[in-house]
Amino acid sequence: MTGDPAETNPELYRVVFENERVRVLEYQDVPGDRTAPHRHPDSVMVTLSGFSRRISAGGREVGVELPAGAVRWLAAQEHSGENVGATPTHAMFVELKELRPGGAVAGTALGPGAP
């Protein structure tokens, strides 16, 4: 997998809290901003603004449109993203540091899951 989003795009992601069990990232961008390829472990995403994005990985693309206040599971994945909407994106990611039961790792997830 490619890098930590706080390192690949420090102008968009910042670590706001971290301990031995979780790390919390804040993400903010404006229309047209793109992220470099990066990885997320299993995470919970909380949207602080509504947004429209395109998430890409391995030749696949997924459109993501969410309202402010949405909470979604984000299975471990690698992707890049682009703000394709008319408004800024503001979201928080609570990244889990513990492995999934049995040590399994997600493989084909792209974008957030259903509520």
Side-chain angles (χ1 to χ4, degrees):
M1 283 191 160
T2 57
D4 175 343
E7 294 176 11
T8 61
N9 289 102
E11 72 283 8
L12 302 175
Y13 285 94
R14 74 181 182 103
V15 178
V16 295
F17 177 82
E18 186 168 12
N19 67 20
E20 66 279 351
R21 298 184 68 198
V22 299
R23 181 173 82 153
V24 180
L25 295 176
E26 180 179 31
Y27 178 82
Q28 295 186 75
D29 74 10
V30 296
D33 278 350
R34 296 175 185 224
T35 62
H38 60 276
R39 63 173 163 67
H40 292 279
D42 285 342
S43 306
V44 174
M45 179 180 66
V46 180
T47 63
L48 302 178
S49 68
F51 59 79
S52 182
R53 306 186 58 70
R54 182 173 36 242
I55 307 296
S56 306
R60 297 185 314 155
E61 291 186 349
V62 173
V64 177
E65 191 158 332
L66 291 170
V71 178
R72 297 290 188 274
W73 176 252
L74 186 73
Q77 59 190 267
E78 180 178 347
H79 63 233
S80 58
E82 178 182 2
N83 182 334
V84 295
T87 62
T89 302
H90 192 191
M92 304 294 283
F93 293 85
V94 180
E95 299 182 334
L96 306 179
K97 291 185 175 183
E98 298 167 350
L99 294 177
R100 290 174 174 223
V105 176
T108 60
L110 184 58

